[in-house]
């Protein structure tokens, strides 16, 4: 794989994850697991050699029975063609090379193997990002990296195609959670293991005045009914390792029936 610019400070990310509260702060992971298990029940296929790529092995080991659990490091510990299911769980937003991660998962699949990923999308924490940015511009005249940049659904869907997966699908499930204050939100983010681990983050402590101003902006701009909302957008990606048994697209111009006939509608000729 080509060298990629480093988005993530891996040492800081591992430290943040090691400090996570795995008992009381993993509700988003629990929701993602429930959704993945529901989706797997809708797939007309049994899986006997699954693998899960995650930064939280003790949380995700119960998602799929007898799955091989591997860390979401730059090079994944997956053997070529060894699995009929690979799940990438809640880590793509920290990947320096997300398409490289998906390509490695694709290579680990046998023909007609299933890939499923869940990660945070671009709308995640947009309220917090906007409040921090406005406060920093007001007080310092500049901006520094504070929240990991997260891809939009269209971009993530494109990664599935670039990775060579068939029948790619990307869909989103935004969730709004409310908190007593921005301080409570930031405390829970740390408990989730989702603190700032960006490579280019400031290495000095953020001034208290900046954080107080950001919280004021958050409350002024977003508070409703005495609580502040925080958006978490979970994006789900699915695709299949190519196989001759899968449905194939028809060659353009090869249709034998008209759409108007299928719809029972009258065809209107366009003026030339």
């Amino acid at each position: 794989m080509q060298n990629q610019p480093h988005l993530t400070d891996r040492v800081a990310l591992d430290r943040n994850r090691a400090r996570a509260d795995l008992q009381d702060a993993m509700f988003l992971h629990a929701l993602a697991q429930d959704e993945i298990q529901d989706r797997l029940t809708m797939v007309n296929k049994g899986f006997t050699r699954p693998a899960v790529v995650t930064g939280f092995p003790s949380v995700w080991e119960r998602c799929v029975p007898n799955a091989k659990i591997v860390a979401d490091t730059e090079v994944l510990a997956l053997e070529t063609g060894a699995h009929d299911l690979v799940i990438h769980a809640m880590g793509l937003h920290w990947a320096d090379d997300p398409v490289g991660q998906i390509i490695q998962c694709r290579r680990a699949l046998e023909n007609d193997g299933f890939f499923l990923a869940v990660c945070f999308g671009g709308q995640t924490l947009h309220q917090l990002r906007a409040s921090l940015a406005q406060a920093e511009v007001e007080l310092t005249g500049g901006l520094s990296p504070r929240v990991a940049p997260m891809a939009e659904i269209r971009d993530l869907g494109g990664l599935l195609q670039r990775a060579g997966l068939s029948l790619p699908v990307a869909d989103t499930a935004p969730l709004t959670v409310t908190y007593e204050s921005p301080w409570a939100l930031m405390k829970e983010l740390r408990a989730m293991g989702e603190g700032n681990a960006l490579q280019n983050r400031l290495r000095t402590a953020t001034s208290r005045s900046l954080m107080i101003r950001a919280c004021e902006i958050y409350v002024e701009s977003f508070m409703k009914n005495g609580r502040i909302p925080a958006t978490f957008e979970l994006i789900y990606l699915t695709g299949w390792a190519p196989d001759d048994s899968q449905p194939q697209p028809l060659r353009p111009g090869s249709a034998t029936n008209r759409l108007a006939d299928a719809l029972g509608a009258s065809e209107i000729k366009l003026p030339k």
Side-chain angles (χ1 to χ4, degrees):
M1 288 181 289
Q2 295 179 348
N3 291 331
Q4 298 287 329
H6 286 293
L7 166 75
T8 301
D9 179 347
R10 189 74 202 191
V11 173
L13 179 62
D14 290 343
R15 181 176 63 242
N16 291 347
R17 288 172 168 177
R19 294 173 177 173
D21 182 350
L22 303 182
Q23 297 299 317
D24 297 321
M26 296 288 107
F27 70 95
L28 292 173
H29 289 254
L31 287 172
Q33 284 189 42
D34 289 344
E35 178 65 24
I36 284 176
Q37 289 168 343
D38 286 345
R39 290 173 183 238
L40 291 176
T41 62
M42 293 186 287
V43 176
N44 188 24
K45 181 176 181 177
F47 299 105
T48 59
R49 287 170 287 111
V52 178
V53 180
T54 180
F56 295 94
S58 63
V59 175
W60 282 87
E61 64 184 4
R62 56 182 175 269
C63 181
V64 181
N66 303 315
K68 178 178 181 179
I69 309 293
V70 302
D72 58 342
T73 50
E74 183 176 359
V75 178
L76 303 179
L78 295 173
E79 297 179 13
T80 301
H83 301 281
D84 53 8
L85 169 66
V86 175
I87 298 170
H88 202 297
M90 300 290 280
L92 280 177
H93 58 288
W94 285 118
D96 289 334
D97 180 18
V99 70
Q101 291 278 299
I102 299 175
I103 288 172
Q104 291 181 73
C105 293
R106 153 71 184 89
R107 290 174 178 167
L109 289 169
E110 64 179 21
N111 290 351
D112 203 36
F114 190 45
F115 171 75
L116 201 163
V118 56
C119 62
F120 289 124
Q123 294 304 305
T124 298
L125 298 175
H126 69 86
Q127 304 95 335
L128 178 61
R129 284 186 280 130
S131 301
L132 286 169
Q134 183 177 334
E136 193 162 21
V137 168
E138 286 182 10
L139 297 182
T140 70
L143 288 173
S144 58
R146 296 187 180 277
V147 180
M150 301 172 197
E152 299 296 336
I153 186 170
R154 179 181 300 179
D155 300 324
L156 289 169
L159 297 186
L160 295 172
Q161 295 177 314
R162 288 178 58 190
L165 288 161
S166 299
L167 309 174
V169 176
D171 60 277
T172 180
L175 171 71
T176 299
V177 183
T178 63
Y179 294 87
E180 292 181 356
S181 69
W183 299 106
L185 166 61
M186 289 183 279
K187 180 180 179 181
E188 182 146 82
L189 290 174
R190 290 192 294 272
M192 293 178 187
E194 296 292 341
N196 190 351
L198 293 170
Q199 181 68 38
N200 293 328
R201 72 191 186 282
L202 293 177
R203 302 306 173 103
T204 56
T206 300
S207 70
R208 185 167 179 82
S209 60
L210 192 154
M211 295 306 299
I212 290 174
R213 180 59 186 141
C215 290
E216 290 173 347
I217 293 169
Y218 204 136
V219 169
E220 293 165 1
S221 302
F222 300 106
M223 176 172 276
K224 293 182 180 179
N225 301 318
R227 294 179 68 85
I228 59 105
T231 297
F232 295 95
E233 182 185 28
L234 295 179
I235 293 180
Y236 295 88
L237 308 173
T238 61
W240 295 84
D243 186 74
D244 292 340
S245 66
Q246 295 167 352
Q248 302 297 319
L250 294 175
R251 178 175 53 82
S254 63
T256 58
N257 297 310
R258 300 187 310 157
L259 178 60
D261 293 337
L263 297 175
S266 299
E267 186 174 13
I268 301 174
K269 299 288 186 181
L270 295 176
K272 294 182 179 180

